[in-house]
Amino acid sequence: MTIATPHASAPRKRSRHVRLALLGAAAFSLAACRDEEVPSAAFPTLDACLEAAAGPGTWVTEESCEQGFGEALEAHVETAPRYDDEALCEAEHGGECMVEERPGGGGSVFLPLMAGYLLGNMLGGRGTRAQPFYGRSGGGFATPGGTFLNRARGSTTLSPNAFSAGPSTRTAAPMTRSSVARTGGFGAARTGSGARGFGG
């Protein structure tokens, strides 16, 4: 008696169909992720944002510029990187730093000036969100929440997570030379592990 056996190529055909289906699902997932990103723009100053708002074909408005700048200033006060030494602050951020006296005789700390702010147009009519950003000793800029920027001015699309606030530093121990050497400095740990960067 002859027993029929499956054709040798059948398993390969099914396997090929499975691979194609998986590739299609992966492409769909990537497209969905991109669809969730929001229009975003970086500005070195409020005036630069207002200038962009006055131009044609932009989602940025005078109101969003001013609201975003105010939000970035509030975040700066709460989450700006703080150091125990002015020279260390200046070396880490490539520019002038300001002194801040801590209440209750807590001494002085030093924090960089804002290099600009990142503005995002949230989905679903949720308005805009903003974060300050600062220069980095290794080049580029970063927000306290860990979003890396190649330039201080440009536009792109970013995940809404790019506008997450960083941890509060107002009462935390300031960074020292030893802690900077150990962690790599401001932005190194977060921006080095998958954070989005942009220019343009």
Side-chain angles (χ1 to χ4, degrees):
M1 181 176 65
T2 302
I3 300 176
T5 58
H7 194 277
S9 64
R12 286 198 295 271
K13 183 179 290 186
R14 285 197 297 271
S15 177
R16 187 162 57 248
H17 288 166
V18 170
R19 285 198 300 271
L20 289 173
L22 290 174
L23 286 172
F28 178 81
S29 297
L30 288 172
C33 290
R34 283 193 291 268
D35 288 343
E36 292 172 358
E37 293 184 342
V38 299
S40 307
F43 301 102
T45 63
L46 172 58
D47 285 344
C49 185
L50 293 173
E51 180 183 347
T58 179
W59 58 268
V60 179
T61 65
E62 181 178 334
E63 181 181 12
S64 66
C65 286
E66 293 174 345
Q67 288 183 350
F69 185 69
E71 183 179 344
L73 283 177
E74 291 179 1
H76 167 72
V77 171
E78 188 67 31
T79 64
R82 287 168 163 87
Y83 300 84
D84 70 341
D85 180 75
E86 184 176 13
L88 174 61
C89 178
E90 292 175 346
E92 283 297 295
H93 298 281
E96 183 181 356
C97 290
M98 59 181 290
V99 62
E100 177 184 78
E101 299 294 335
R102 288 194 158 173
S108 301
V109 293
F110 301 89
L111 55 156
L113 302 179
M114 281 172 49
Y117 66 110
L118 183 63
L119 188 65
N121 187 17
M122 297 297 108
L123 298 172
R126 290 179 291 160
T128 57
R129 291 181 62 187
Q131 281 291 307
F133 60 79
Y134 308 91
R136 298 174 63 237
S137 60
F141 306 86
T143 70
T147 299
F148 176 74
L149 296 80
N150 296 323
R151 302 181 184 181
R153 186 168 187 164
S155 59
T156 188
T157 58
L158 293 171
S159 164
N161 292 334
F163 298 89
S164 298
S168 176
T169 60
R170 292 188 73 176
T171 59
M175 285 186 277
T176 64
R177 291 189 182 277
S178 60
S179 65
V180 167
R182 184 175 64 254
T183 64
F186 172 71
R190 290 186 292 274
T191 59
S193 56
R196 290 286 304 276
F198 77 92

